[in-house]
Amino acid sequence: MQQLKAVVSAQDVADRAGVSRSAVSRTFTPGASVSDATRARVMKAAEELGYHVNHLARGLVRNRSGIVCLIASEVDTPYRASLVRWMTQYLQEAGKVAMLINTDRSDASVSAALQQAINFRADASIILSGMPDSAITCLCYKHGQQLVLINRDESLPGTLNISLDARPSAEMAVKAFVRAGCSRIAFVNSLAGTSSLLKRERDFLAAAEKAGVAAQVERFGSTSYESGQILAQRLLTRDIRPDAVYCATDLLACGFMDEARHRFALRIPEDLCIIGHDNIPQSGWSSYNLTTFAQPVEQFARDAIRWLVETKAQQDTLRPKSEQQPEQRLYQPDVVWRSSVRGG
């Protein structure tokens, strides 16, 4: 049996099919002109030799690698995992290649991974969270990448900024607590300090003040289930316990709820009303039935990838990036009423 070459070239296919090298190129170029007979011969030879088009090399010739970096922290959390899933799905449908860079570790490994992506001439980067340092954004921008920033504060020329409007959800949460007869309300948050989490906190406190209701804030640790448990211990051991809690994320809310029920024997929503944010799959589980606000993650992904594709196609006609305005898109979360609030 004839041993196949480790790397089969287009010229090998051309020799096998008895056609020119350019005929092979046209066969594998969508929309290019090639006769049915030639196409059949080329495809037969390619299958026999095990030939595959080197899209990376072809893309580099056109200064388009098709690689899009997804830069994120806390990729194991339900919200971020959902966002990555939708991003990769729409990238695949657009014929792009996703490269995931995990920025949880603040050491040289993150810089090395990002430098590797730059070496591969990634076309674009999508920064999926507020955690990565702004220096990462600047590095991607410096190397000419298209940039999509999700729930971040940076505003760079020629970038797409996707943000969530937290004010309506904060006002709705306060109204729900007041309607339920709650008077001792609290907001619990992590110490992550991202712009989106801080904005949820500020908007909730402003909504509570507008409604004439005093609100306290407690912060701890990472944005995790375990932090929610510790936050519950802190608030529920005080002489005056809150009777309503708005959690910055559903993951914090799930930890808070379990601790409230199992350690403090509180009933939800009879003794304590709780609202979360993000509508992760766990929030709908029967053990939680958490009222929450859903981020339109699928729409984030669909709009981001569409913008990347359209902007790349128009690249030759656009003004220099430094002269372009950043594009801002503000999205509204949808309330998901469940049974963690009385009268919801």
Side-chain angles (χ1 to χ4, degrees):
M1 181 176 179
Q2 183 180 3
Q3 187 175 3
L4 296 179
K5 291 177 60 176
V7 178
V8 179
S9 69
Q11 187 60 55
D12 293 330
V13 176
D15 294 342
R16 181 76 166 240
V19 299
S20 67
R21 169 66 177 77
S22 61
V24 175
S25 178
R26 293 196 303 275
T27 297
F28 290 99
T29 301
S33 175
V34 61
S35 69
D36 291 342
T38 298
R39 184 185 303 278
R41 289 164 62 186
V42 170
M43 295 303 293
K44 183 175 184 294
E47 183 177 355
E48 291 172 349
L49 293 174
Y51 171 75
H52 297 280
V53 178
N54 189 335
H55 288 290
L56 179 58
R58 177 177 287 188
L60 293 180
V61 170
R62 298 178 298 165
N63 198 28
R64 296 182 184 182
S65 66
I67 297 174
V68 176
C69 295
L70 302 179
I71 302 174
S73 61
E74 299 178 334
V75 294
D76 57 337
T77 59
Y79 165 73
R80 198 81 68 235
S82 176
L83 190 53
V84 168
R85 177 174 70 88
W86 284 113
M87 286 289 178
T88 52
Q89 177 175 320
Y90 281 108
L91 282 170
Q92 288 168 196
E93 291 178 3
K96 305 296 183 182
V97 177
M99 178 182 290
L100 178 62
I101 297 179
N102 185 345
T103 64
D104 280 342
R105 294 175 59 186
S106 56
D107 60 16
S109 65
V110 173
S111 297
L114 187 56
Q115 189 61 53
Q116 186 179 33
I118 291 170
N119 292 343
F120 274 103
R121 301 187 191 177
D123 293 336
S125 283
I126 303 175
I127 302 186
L128 303 181
S129 61
M131 284 294 290
D133 190 270
S134 58
I136 289 179
T137 304
C138 293
L139 183 60
C140 296
Y141 185 79
K142 177 182 176 182
H143 283 82
Q145 294 184 7
Q146 294 175 278
L147 278 179
V148 176
L149 309 175
I150 298 181
N151 288 324
R152 291 179 67 89
D153 281 338
E154 293 108 326
S155 182
L156 295 168
T159 62
L160 173 64
N161 291 65
I162 289 176
S163 301
L164 195 71
D165 187 0
R167 185 177 300 175
S169 54
E171 293 175 348
M172 194 175 298
V174 170
K175 289 179 181 178
F177 288 154
V178 171
R179 185 172 62 241
C182 303
S183 58
R184 304 182 305 278
I185 66 177
F187 185 91
V188 300
N189 205 349
S190 71
L191 292 173
T194 65
S195 58
S196 59
L197 294 181
L198 291 176
K199 189 173 189 311
R200 288 175 203 175
E201 181 179 310
R202 290 194 303 268
D203 287 344
F204 182 77
L205 293 177
E209 182 179 7
K210 182 178 178 181
V213 181
Q216 58 181 314
V217 176
E218 191 71 24
R219 308 179 192 92
F220 177 81
S222 61
T223 314
S224 64
Y225 174 91
E226 292 75 16
S227 292
Q229 291 179 296
I230 293 173
L231 286 162
Q233 294 169 20
R234 289 186 173 185
L235 283 174
L236 300 179
T237 53
R238 294 179 180 173
D239 293 336
I240 301 178
R241 293 174 170 174
D243 56 5
V245 178
Y246 184 28
C247 299
T249 73
D250 288 349
L251 210 51
L252 290 172
C254 289
F256 199 104
M257 290 176 74
D258 282 344
E259 197 71 4
R261 289 183 297 198
H262 301 307
R263 184 180 291 269
F264 297 94
L266 295 178
R267 299 169 300 162
I268 298 172
E270 293 84 357
D271 303 320
L272 177 66
C273 292
I274 295 183
I275 294 177
H277 200 289
D278 292 339
N279 194 35
I280 63 175
Q282 291 82 347
S283 65
W285 291 358
S286 58
S287 56
Y288 296 112
N289 263 323
L290 177 67
T291 292
T292 184
F293 295 93
Q295 294 202 51
V297 289
E298 182 183 0
Q299 189 175 0
F300 285 176
R302 183 175 62 248
D303 291 354
I305 307 311
R306 181 181 297 159
W307 181 85
L308 287 177
V309 172
E310 292 176 352
T311 303
K312 195 68 175 178
Q314 300 167 2
Q315 194 171 47
D316 295 336
T317 61
L318 292 173
R319 291 174 296 166
K321 185 182 290 187
S322 59
E323 299 178 8
Q324 299 172 30
Q325 293 296 315
E327 184 173 343
Q328 306 280 346
R329 297 190 186 181
L330 193 63
Y331 296 78
Q332 300 293 328
D334 293 321
V335 63
V336 182
W337 293 110
R338 297 194 180 102
S339 62
S340 62
V341 180
R342 297 187 298 273

